Amino acid sequence: MATNAQLISREQQLSTIRKSVNLVMPKKEAEAFLVDALKKATTLPKLNTKYTDVPSSKIPRLRVKSRQIREHTGTENPTGTGSIQTPEVPYSVKKVYWDEWIKDDDVWYNNTARGDDVETKVIDLVQGQFGVDLQDLLFNGDTDAKLADGTTPDPFLSILDGFVKKMKQSTLKTNLGANEPIIDDFVNHVLLLDEKYLNMPDVHWIMNRRIYQKLVALVQKRPTALGDVTLANGKLTEIAGYPIEIVQSLQSGFVALTPLSNLVPVFTRDLRYKRTADGATAAIKDSTYHILFAYADAVVLETEAVAWMTGEKL
C-alpha cells in the first residue's frame, strides 16, 4: 500500500499536467518546438524544412545555366548572358491537429517519469508522436485517398497531397508490373535521371523497410560481390553508387531516386497547444486532454529531378 508521502509525491508531480493550458506559441518558440518534433521522425530531420509566416506563397529557386563562359577579348559589353533563372514553386499549408487523452496512471507508472519533470515528459511524448505522424502524412498524403469502402475520404491521408503523390507527376518512371524486383532494375533505373541531378551530392534512393530487406536478401544470394551495390556488415548502404534512405511508414509499391533537397516540408510558425483536466469527461477518464494545432504542406521543387519506380512486388 502506498504511504501518505508517496501519494503526496504522486499528486504533486501530476499536478503540473493537470493545469489547463491554452498557449499560442511565439514564432521563435513555435519553430523551435517544430524542430524538436521533427527530430523524432527518421527522415524529416534530413530535409531542408521551410518555416514561414505566410500560409500560401511560393518558394523561390535559383538556377544558373551551364556553359556560360566566353573568351574575353576586351571589346565585350557588360550585359551578362541571362543565365540566372528564379522559378518559383507554390505552397499552401493545411491546418492539422493531433489530440489524445493521456491517463494519469500511464504517466505515473512510466518509469522514465518518476523523479523527472512530468510535464516535460508528457510534452516530449506529444512531440514524438506528432513528428512521426507528420512524416507519415507529408510522404503518403493523398487528397483522393479513401477508406476501405471506396467512398469515405481517409481522415488522415486525405488532408493534403504528400511527397509521393507529387513525385509521381514525374514522367521518369520504371514500371515493374507483377515482376519481382532485381538489382539490375535499380541499376538501369539510374539512367533515367539527368546527369545534372545524378551529380548532386544528396541524391538518395527513397524506399520503405520492406523493399530494403528484400534487396538485402537479393544481394546476399549473389554468388559474387559486384560493384553496383555496397554491403557492409550485413547492411545495404548503396545501390549503383547512391545511398539509401529508409522512410518509416512509406507506402508500398513505390521507390524513388531524387536529391533529398528536392523535398521540402513547409510549416508556418503558427502553433497552438491546449491541455485541460477540467470537466466531467476528464474526471471520469482520470486523464488530461492534449491537442496541438499546426499548419503544413509538402513541396517537391522539381519533378524532373525524380525518377520513380512502381510495381506490385515493391
Side-chain angles (χ1 to χ4, degrees):
M1 179 179 292
T3 66
N4 287 339
Q6 289 173 326
L7 291 173
I8 293 173
S9 175
R10 167 189 159 99
E11 292 307 305
Q12 286 176 337
Q13 292 194 45
L14 291 177
S15 66
T16 60
I17 62 167
R18 288 175 178 160
K19 296 177 181 177
S20 294
V21 172
N22 186 357
L23 177 63
V24 178
M25 296 187 188
K27 296 187 183 301
K28 184 177 180 181
E29 284 73 13
E31 181 173 332
F33 185 97
L34 285 168
V35 169
D36 288 341
L38 299 187
K39 287 179 181 177
K40 311 293 183 180
T42 57
T43 301
L44 288 184
K46 303 174 184 178
L47 306 182
N48 294 330
T49 302
K50 177 178 177 61
Y51 298 97
T52 177
D53 298 326
V54 183
S56 180
S57 186
K58 295 181 179 181
I59 301 176
R61 294 181 291 125
L62 184 65
R63 276 183 173 179
V64 181
K65 293 180 180 178
S66 61
R67 295 189 173 183
Q68 297 302 305
I69 294 176
R70 298 291 183 267
E71 180 184 2
H72 185 266
T73 64
T75 61
E76 293 79 14
N77 293 319
T79 57
T81 59
S83 66
I84 306 299
Q85 299 175 327
T86 55
E88 296 178 319
V89 181
Y91 72 84
S92 182
V93 298
K94 295 292 183 68
K95 186 177 182 180
V96 299
Y97 77 94
W98 180 95
D99 71 328
E100 191 56 84
W101 286 97
I102 300 180
K103 295 181 179 179
D104 288 353
D105 284 347
D106 289 343
V107 173
W108 176 249
Y109 289 111
N110 183 336
N111 289 331
T112 61
R114 295 200 177 205
D116 294 328
D117 185 334
V118 172
E119 187 171 28
T120 298
K121 290 295 181 182
V122 171
I123 294 298
D124 188 64
L125 171 65
V126 172
Q127 280 184 317
Q129 192 55 52
F130 188 60
V132 170
D133 283 357
L134 276 176
Q135 176 166 297
D136 190 350
L137 176 63
L138 290 176
F139 272 91
N140 300 313
D142 183 348
T143 52
D144 296 322
K146 300 292 190 293
L147 294 179
D149 61 13
T151 303
T152 307
D154 187 297
F156 177 74
L157 294 176
S158 66
I159 295 172
L160 55 80
D161 286 333
F163 294 129
V164 170
K165 184 174 181 179
K166 292 179 178 180
M167 284 192 282
K168 285 182 177 180
Q169 295 174 8
S170 170
T171 59
L172 307 178
K173 175 182 176 182
T174 296
N175 189 347
L176 301 181
N179 298 325
E180 284 284 354
I182 59 176
I183 296 297
D184 285 348
D185 292 327
F186 289 78
V187 175
N188 294 332
H189 182 74
V190 170
L191 302 177
L192 295 180
L193 209 56
D194 191 281
E195 187 175 356
K196 66 180 179 181
Y197 299 118
L198 292 176
N199 289 330
M200 294 180 67
D202 64 336
V203 175
H204 280 66
W205 293 100
I206 294 174
M207 64 182 66
N208 62 27
R209 174 68 64 176
R210 177 176 173 272
I211 289 301
Y212 171 79
Q213 293 300 144
K214 182 175 288 192
L215 293 175
V216 170
L218 287 174
V219 175
Q220 290 174 335
K221 291 177 182 178
R222 282 185 162 191
T224 58
L226 299 179
D228 50 21
V229 295
T230 303
L231 197 64
N233 298 322
K235 295 183 178 181
L236 185 60
T237 59
E238 292 185 351
I239 301 177
Y242 297 101
I244 298 169
E245 177 63 30
I246 302 171
V247 180
Q248 181 182 356
S249 302
L250 185 68
Q251 60 188 259
S252 61
F254 178 86
V255 172
L257 183 67
T258 191
L260 292 184
S261 56
N262 195 34
L263 310 179
V264 180
V266 179
F267 299 97
T268 65
R269 298 184 183 90
D270 297 311
L271 196 67
R272 285 190 294 137
Y273 171 61
K274 293 184 178 182
R275 179 181 72 217
T276 184
D278 298 332
T281 303
I284 194 64
K285 286 179 174 288
D286 194 25
S287 305
T288 52
Y289 177 69
H290 302 253
I291 186 167
L292 183 66
F293 296 95
Y295 300 80
D297 194 12
V299 174
V300 176
L301 296 180
E302 299 182 72
T303 55
E304 61 268 31
V306 178
W308 62 287
M309 304 177 71
T310 184
E312 297 175 17
K313 303 297 177 63
L314 284 176

